[in-house]
Amino acid sequence: MDRYRAIPQGYMTAGAVAKKMGVTVRTLQHYDREGLLSPSATSEGGRRLYTDKDIIKLHQILSLKHLGFSLVDIRDRLIPLDTPNDVALVLSEQAKSVREKIADLTEALSEIEALKTEVLEMQSVDFKKYADIIVNLEMKNSFYWLIKHFDSETLDHIRSRFDKESGITFMQRFLRLQDEAIALQAEGIPAESQRGQQFAEEYWALIMEFTGGDTAMLPKLIQMGQGDAFGQEWTQKQAQANAFIEPALGTYFSNEGIDPFQEETT
């Protein structure tokens, strides 16, 4: 049969080259279609034939591919280059690209480890929460761990009211007010003073912004805030803040005629 006629001296079949170089015949066919490596000859039976020169070129392609170059880069940017400086420039660009990928992968690894910690601390499998945690990790939101403490209804509410930017802004405002409450308490500022009531007004506005005015959410938020699930450091800091926030809000509600668990009375 023509297909099995003797191969001319100095030539190798695609199968022999593939075995020698640790690739597949399909890979050689793909390189041919991409214009990277065409066989030097074709046998009478239609078999692709390669020479030692072709193997050297294949070795070059595989080596450059190992460095992360795409086939298009190898074909269009590297092979046509004539001077060492030109090659060095392309290699520098590739080195920059590799460094960026390393940084991305390092960040991804960190996020994976953080997510794994959260997953193990959660009581059930919840891929919606996993997705929220991943998004907040991507945003570099250091309070991503809070998500596991919210129930599905509260998380749905948060998703509907906040996007990435407004969510971060809200959290920054909350933390600022938390620190301000601790500072006012340390300074001995009376909760019923003008400063105390200005603080209470701003804090209550923040709560209303979070709930969208739905005071039915307040018992759930209060219950969450009173627990120790958030960790000792967070709980202690919130307790310090609450020492000022609670009396300040109490006075504010009395002055404004507000019952936070009912309709306003004025």
Side-chain angles (χ1 to χ4, degrees):
M1 295 183 186
D2 289 342
R3 180 175 176 80
Y4 296 103
R5 288 179 180 174
I7 302 302
Q9 188 174 359
Y11 290 89
M12 287 179 284
T13 64
V17 172
K19 184 176 181 180
K20 180 180 181 69
M21 298 300 293
V23 297
T24 65
V25 172
R26 182 172 295 181
T27 295
L28 296 176
Q29 294 170 345
H30 179 61
Y31 289 174
D32 187 7
R33 289 193 300 271
E34 292 295 320
L36 273 166
L37 180 66
S38 298
S40 291
T42 305
S43 71
E44 293 181 8
R47 306 178 74 183
R48 298 164 182 260
L49 300 177
Y50 296 84
T51 64
D52 287 341
K53 184 178 179 180
D54 296 327
I55 291 179
I56 292 173
K57 189 173 184 180
L58 175 59
H59 177 67
Q60 294 168 346
I61 293 169
L62 295 175
S63 297
L64 293 170
K65 192 168 179 290
H66 171 73
L67 295 180
F69 286 102
S70 68
L71 297 182
V72 173
D73 282 337
I74 296 170
R75 182 191 64 204
D76 298 341
R77 299 180 62 203
L78 280 164
I79 291 179
L81 297 179
D82 296 321
T83 70
N85 286 339
D86 290 338
V87 175
L89 178 61
V90 174
L91 290 174
S92 294
E93 292 172 355
Q94 183 65 8
K96 178 182 177 182
S97 176
V98 170
R99 282 193 292 268
E100 290 172 352
K101 290 178 182 177
I102 290 173
D104 290 341
L105 289 172
T106 300
E107 182 65 26
L109 178 60
S110 176
E111 292 173 3
I112 288 170
E113 293 294 342
L115 177 60
K116 183 178 72 174
T117 298
E118 297 303 296
V119 167
L120 292 174
E121 291 182 359
M122 291 168 62
Q123 299 299 312
S124 61
V125 173
D126 189 333
F127 281 94
K128 287 181 70 175
K129 282 190 178 182
Y130 299 165
D132 285 331
I133 292 171
I134 292 169
V135 167
N136 279 271
L137 285 168
E138 290 174 341
M139 294 189 303
K140 306 297 187 293
N141 181 356
S142 60
F143 290 94
Y144 63 87
W145 53 271
L146 287 171
I147 291 170
K148 66 175 175 287
H149 298 293
F150 292 112
D151 59 26
S152 296
E153 183 180 356
T154 304
L155 282 175
D156 286 340
H157 171 82
I158 293 172
R159 294 187 195 102
S160 69
R161 291 195 58 78
F162 299 99
D163 57 21
K164 293 181 181 180
E165 183 175 347
S166 63
I168 291 176
T169 300
F170 180 90
M171 196 64 191
Q172 290 171 340
R173 290 166 58 199
F174 172 79
L175 294 174
R176 176 181 62 79
L177 286 175
Q178 186 184 60
D179 289 338
E180 184 178 342
I182 294 172
L184 290 170
Q185 178 75 5
E187 291 176 33
I189 303 298
E192 65 276 8
S193 68
Q194 182 178 3
R195 284 184 65 187
Q197 289 306 288
Q198 287 175 341
F199 169 87
E201 182 178 9
E202 185 177 359
Y203 193 86
W204 181 242
L206 190 70
I207 293 174
M208 288 296 95
E209 181 180 338
F210 179 83
T211 63
D214 181 8
T215 56
M217 294 185 65
L218 293 178
K220 184 185 298 184
L221 295 177
I222 292 172
Q223 184 179 11
M224 289 179 59
Q226 291 175 341
D228 58 359
F230 292 165
Q232 185 176 4
E233 181 179 354
W234 173 277
T235 302
Q236 288 178 347
K237 187 171 185 179
Q238 190 58 49
Q240 287 180 284
N242 284 342
F244 186 85
I245 293 171
E246 291 176 0
L249 284 178
T251 300
Y252 178 75
F253 293 151
S254 178
N255 291 339
E256 298 297 320
I258 298 173
D259 183 340
F261 301 105
Q262 299 290 334
E263 298 291 334
E264 291 191 14
T265 60
T266 62

